């Protein structure tokens, strides 16, 4: 695989990598006939993101050399991010970026051609892997919003950077409401400050959702996609179903597509989502009005049914490509009991801001990497 990015598209590629770095620690790079795919999934398997850059995005694009199979690889996100760390530097000094994938040396080579003839070459080691893919259909979601990313970006500005989740709902008068989400402590008497933003129907290019519906999702990943979409001056579409079902965020351009699939909190109180009931005086999402959510609400999310398992393959060339394994919804084998892990400790309220609670359910979205033989 070899591709050449020039001009302002180098910064666009860098912004996409920055957005993906907000979600996962590993980057799955896959050259396809219809473009270069960059994907990632977070450690708790509650968020998945993908950017697909069309061949026209590049000045030169070759998915594979003649007579060779398409390669795909998995690399550390921080390694690839280090190449595009400074977006200001990319814009001011980098004239073009060449990315090549060498299967024989197991190296991903990224070369930056800067002004005054300076070249910076990064040789990144990688692992062969199967394709990481989420199976989803935005058209199957009954509710959909579409608005310029700038409008939604301005709406989330008042929210604290430390806020983990945000609730999006439809209130009276078909107003779209964004409200900060806080878990209520049973033994806490302190009241958390609530931030709320309301957008009128006229701010949206399309609003297909009934009054009273609401979902709660992680704000950190949402901000990552908004940042990219704003810089590219794109519209953002939000497709969602009932609470507990994954929400799909999409952007589309003639040169690229972006999809983020985020888990949503399950609704433990059917009355808490009723934003359109006559007895309510304020059309705001009130998920916390009558109930305290269970800390592992994300465990009930159905994002598992959207994912396809990925395996790392090690062996001869014939074993490089393996069929994907579809994870259908249903009971999964329980995890073996073990001591309380550090990862579970980090899921307490002192967790890093913006990180969703890790899923404690029995079924991970992706199977652990394992060796395969053709």
């Amino acid at each position: 695989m070899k591709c050449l990015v020039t001009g302002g598209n180098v910064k666009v590629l860098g912004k996409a990598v920055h957005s993906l770095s907000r979600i996962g620690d590993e980057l799955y790079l896959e050259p396809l006939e219809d473009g270069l795919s960059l994907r990632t999934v977070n450690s708790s398997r509650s968020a998945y993101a993908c950017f697909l850059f069309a061949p026209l995005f590049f000045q030169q694009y070759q998915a594979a050399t003649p007579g060779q199979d398409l390669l795909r690889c998995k690399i550390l996100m921080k390694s690839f991010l280090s190449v595009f760390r400074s977006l200001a530097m990319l814009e001011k000094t980098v004239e073009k970026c060449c990315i090549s994938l060498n299967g024989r040396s197991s190296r991903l080579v990224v070369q930056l051609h800067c002004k005054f003839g300076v070249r910076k070459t990064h040789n990144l080691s990688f692992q062969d892997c199967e394709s990481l893919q989420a199976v989803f259909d935005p058209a199957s979601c009954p509710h959909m919003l579409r608005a310029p990313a700038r409008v939604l970006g301005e709406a989330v500005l008042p929210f604290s950077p430390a806020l983990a989740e945000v609730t999006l709902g439809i209130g009276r008068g078909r107003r779209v409401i964004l409200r900060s989400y806080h878990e209520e402590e049973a033994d806490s008497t302190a009241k958390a400050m609530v931030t709320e933003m309301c957008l009128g129907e006229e701010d949206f290019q399309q609003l297909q959702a009934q009054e009273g519906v609401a979902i709660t999702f992680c704000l950190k990943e949402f901000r990552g996609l908004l940042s990219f979409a704003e810089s590219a001056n794109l519209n953002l579409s939000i497709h969602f179903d009932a609470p507990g079902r994954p929400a799909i965020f999409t952007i589309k351009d003639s040169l690229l597509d972006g999809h983020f699939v985020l888990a949503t909190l399950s609704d433990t109180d059917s009355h808490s989502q009723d934003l359109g009931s006559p007895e309510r005086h304020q059309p705001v999402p009130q998920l916390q009005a009558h109930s305290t959510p269970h800390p592992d609400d994300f465990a009930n999310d159905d994002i598992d049914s959207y994912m396809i398992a990925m395996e790392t393959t090690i062996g001869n060339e014939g074993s490089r490509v393996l069929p994907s394994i579809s994870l259908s919804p249903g009971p999964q084998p329980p995890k073996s009991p073990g001591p309380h892990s550090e990862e579970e400790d980090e899921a307490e309220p002192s967790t890093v801001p913006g990180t969703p609670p890790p899923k404690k359910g029995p079924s991970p979205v992706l199977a652990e990497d394992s060796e395969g033989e053709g």
Side-chain angles (χ1 to χ4, degrees), residues 2 4 83 89 93-98 109-123:
K2 186 175 183 179
L4 182 64
V83 180
M89 184 272 293
T93 65
V94 178
E95 296 177 340
K96 57 184 178 179
C97 172
C98 181
V109 181
V110 183
Q111 192 173 66
L112 302 179
H113 297 252
C114 306
K115 294 180 178 179
F116 311 113
V118 177
R119 293 186 181 182
K120 299 179 180 179
T121 303
H122 302 261
N123 291 281

Side-chain angles (χ1 to χ4, degrees), residues 273-354:
Q273 295 280 355
D274 190 7
L275 306 185
S277 57
E279 62 271 14
R280 288 199 180 274
H281 299 287
Q282 295 183 353
V284 299
Q286 303 217 359
L287 294 179
Q288 293 294 325
H290 304 291
S291 66
T292 301
H294 197 273
D296 60 350
D297 280 336
F298 274 117
N300 298 324
D301 191 275
D302 288 338
I303 196 171
D304 291 355
S305 63
Y306 285 71
M307 304 300 294
I308 288 183
M310 178 280 300
E311 292 183 350
T312 300
T313 61
I314 302 176
N316 55 33
E317 188 67 20
S319 65
R320 183 180 300 278
V321 180
L322 297 178
S324 299
I325 304 173
S326 177
L327 294 183
S328 59
Q332 301 289 333
K335 295 183 179 178
S336 58
H340 193 63
S341 65
E342 295 181 1
E343 189 177 64
E344 292 175 340
D345 291 335
E346 292 175 358
E348 297 300 322
S350 60
T351 187
V352 178

Side-chain angles (χ1 to χ4, degrees), residues 34-291:
D34 55 350
L36 180 64
S37 172
L38 303 179
R39 301 185 178 105
T40 190
V41 64
N42 68 351
S43 59
S44 60
R45 273 55 176 174
S46 62
Y48 163 88
C50 171
F51 284 104
L52 178 64
F53 297 93
L56 291 177
F57 178 84
F58 307 92
Q59 186 177 25
Q60 297 177 7
Y61 179 76
Q62 186 179 27
T65 56
Q68 291 186 353
D69 296 331
L70 292 174
L71 297 176
R72 59 179 66 91
C73 67
K74 177 179 69 173
I75 61 177
L76 290 176
M77 182 69 73
K78 64 180 181 180
S79 298
F80 199 69
L81 180 63
S82 65
V83 180
F84 307 95
R85 177 70 66 182
S86 175
L87 296 175
M89 184 272 293
L90 293 177
E91 187 175 20
K92 293 179 180 179
T93 65
V94 178
E95 296 177 340
K96 57 184 178 179
C97 172
C98 181
I99 304 175
S100 60
L101 190 60
N102 191 327
R104 293 182 179 179
S105 62
S106 296
R107 288 289 185 272
L108 177 68
V109 181
V110 183
Q111 192 173 66
L112 302 179
H113 297 252
C114 306
K115 294 180 178 179
F116 311 113
V118 177
R119 293 186 181 182
K120 299 179 180 179
T121 303
H122 302 261
N123 291 281
L124 310 177
S125 59
F126 67 82
Q127 293 179 339
D128 292 343
C129 67
E130 271 299 302
S131 178
L132 176 73
Q133 180 67 56
V135 180
F136 52 86
D137 181 17
S140 65
C141 297
H143 311 300
M144 195 273 281
L145 314 175
R146 180 182 294 121
R150 174 186 53 82
V151 173
L152 296 172
E154 293 175 353
V156 300
L157 276 179
F159 294 104
S160 168
L163 182 65
E165 289 96 25
V166 66
T167 297
L168 181 147
I170 310 297
R172 284 185 180 177
R174 295 181 62 78
R175 291 190 298 169
V176 177
I177 301 163
L178 288 165
R179 183 181 181 183
S180 56
Y181 175 86
H182 300 280
E183 291 187 358
E184 290 185 355
E185 300 281 341
D187 56 348
S188 175
T189 58
K191 296 293 184 179
M193 183 182 71
V194 176
T195 304
E196 180 183 303
M197 292 292 294
C198 295
L199 300 173
E201 185 176 1
E202 64 278 4
D203 293 322
F204 291 81
Q205 298 167 336
Q206 187 172 353
L207 176 55
Q208 179 183 328
Q210 62 185 12
E211 295 184 6
V213 299
I215 55 172
T216 300
F217 51 87
C218 286
L219 182 58
K220 177 185 176 182
E221 289 85 353
F222 183 51
R223 276 179 164 150
L225 178 59
L226 280 178
S227 176
F228 176 86
E230 280 189 84
S231 64
N233 197 25
L234 298 176
N235 297 324
L236 175 66
S237 299
I238 306 175
H239 307 261
F240 62 98
D241 201 337
R245 297 284 294 172
I248 306 169
F249 303 77
T250 63
I251 56 175
K252 188 174 181 62
D253 186 64
S254 59
L255 300 180
L256 63 91
D257 289 344
H259 295 84
F260 280 45
V261 183
L262 306 181
T264 63
L265 289 179
S266 59
D267 184 14
T268 56
D269 187 346
S270 59
H271 299 288
S272 63
Q273 295 280 355
D274 190 7
L275 306 185
S277 57
E279 62 271 14
R280 288 199 180 274
H281 299 287
Q282 295 183 353
V284 299
Q286 303 217 359
L287 294 179
Q288 293 294 325
H290 304 291
S291 66

